[in-house]
Amino acid sequence: MPMPWQQLLDWWFGQGTTAREISAEKHALWFGYRNAQDAQARERFGALCEQALRGELDDAWTASPEGWLALILLLDQLPRMIHRGTPQAFAGDARAQQLVRQGLAHGGDVLLAPIQRVFIYLVLEHAEDLAQQELAVAHFEQLREIAAADEQPLFDDFLDYARRHRAVIARFGRFPHRNATLGRESSEAERAFLTEPGSRF
């Protein structure tokens, strides 16, 4: 009998066997903004996402590395699709960050494939906290070091994005592109920054 998180992991990571294959198949899902993808996430995993946000899956799902990964996806990635453009998109961030810190403390991340570990470290990259941003960059640097030669460009890209996120938090202490969604007033410097290419990731 398949584990309750397997359907989500299959949807998120597909059928590829290498990081390059998986990324080629799933990059548009991970980093694209398509209404159909958001609707599919809502239809297939909306109920699980809400359970995760209510804390109802913690004990059962954190007992294995795969369940831990899937729960983190439900708290960090899926709300950004299901609740895109609303404050609820970030509702799972604090809990996801807590779960990541707990897992890293006992090495749970190294039991996952490097491409899966990307979505553990992205939780840190999403944090409006410089210490967590520094940790994200450090972990993406480690992934880059262990990547096979033909996959290093892929992990170079992940590292580049981590460094860019860190730079924004180092400068502003928060992500200005979230301000409108979260009802926060942007400073003059933030408004100027948001006119620059790539400022919204």
Side-chain angles (χ1 to χ4, degrees):
M1 182 177 178
M3 301 305 288
W5 49 78
Q6 193 59 51
Q7 189 177 32
L8 172 59
L9 295 181
D10 289 345
W11 181 69
W12 196 255
F13 293 105
Q15 302 304 312
T17 58
T18 68
R20 288 178 64 194
E21 291 172 351
I22 293 168
S23 180
E25 179 186 348
K26 292 297 181 177
H27 190 273
L29 174 66
W30 299 340
F31 304 115
Y33 303 108
R34 292 175 174 80
N35 289 334
Q37 291 183 165
D38 290 356
Q40 187 180 38
R42 191 175 301 112
E43 178 180 345
R44 294 188 63 181
F45 304 109
L48 274 176
C49 185
E50 296 310 310
Q51 284 183 270
L53 291 172
R54 291 193 298 266
E56 297 172 3
L57 304 178
D58 287 15
D59 292 341
W61 289 49
T62 56
S64 74
E66 293 79 12
W68 175 62
L69 170 62
L71 180 57
I72 286 168
L73 291 175
L74 287 173
L75 291 167
D76 181 70
Q77 293 291 330
L78 272 292
R80 284 167 163 76
M81 301 177 73
I82 293 170
H83 301 291
R84 192 182 300 279
T86 75
Q88 191 71 2
F90 310 105
D93 283 19
R95 181 59 181 144
Q97 291 162 19
Q98 181 183 23
L99 286 172
V100 166
R101 290 194 298 270
Q102 290 171 349
L104 293 179
H106 59 69
D109 56 320
V110 300
L111 301 176
L112 299 170
I115 195 64
Q116 294 175 321
R117 291 163 65 179
V118 166
F119 293 93
I120 301 298
Y121 308 146
L122 276 178
V123 172
L124 304 172
E125 189 177 311
H126 287 158
E128 292 186 315
D129 174 81
L130 187 55
Q132 292 189 74
Q133 291 290 330
E134 295 285 5
L135 190 57
V137 169
H139 280 294
F140 278 112
E141 287 174 343
Q142 291 172 5
L143 282 187
R144 167 63 174 74
E145 289 302 313
I146 67 172
D150 63 340
E151 295 189 335
Q152 286 181 350
L154 173 63
F155 288 96
D156 278 337
D157 285 345
F158 291 133
L159 175 57
D160 176 64
Y161 268 83
R163 288 171 171 164
R164 289 169 57 189
H165 280 72
R166 179 182 62 182
V168 174
I169 296 301
R171 180 176 175 185
F172 297 109
R174 63 184 185 176
F175 291 116
H177 68 276
R178 295 183 186 176
N179 289 350
T181 298
L182 294 174
R184 303 187 305 207
E185 184 70 25
S186 293
S187 68
E188 183 176 344
E190 287 175 328
R191 288 193 293 271
F193 172 71
L194 289 172
T195 67
E196 299 175 9
S199 60
R200 300 174 186 270
F201 299 106

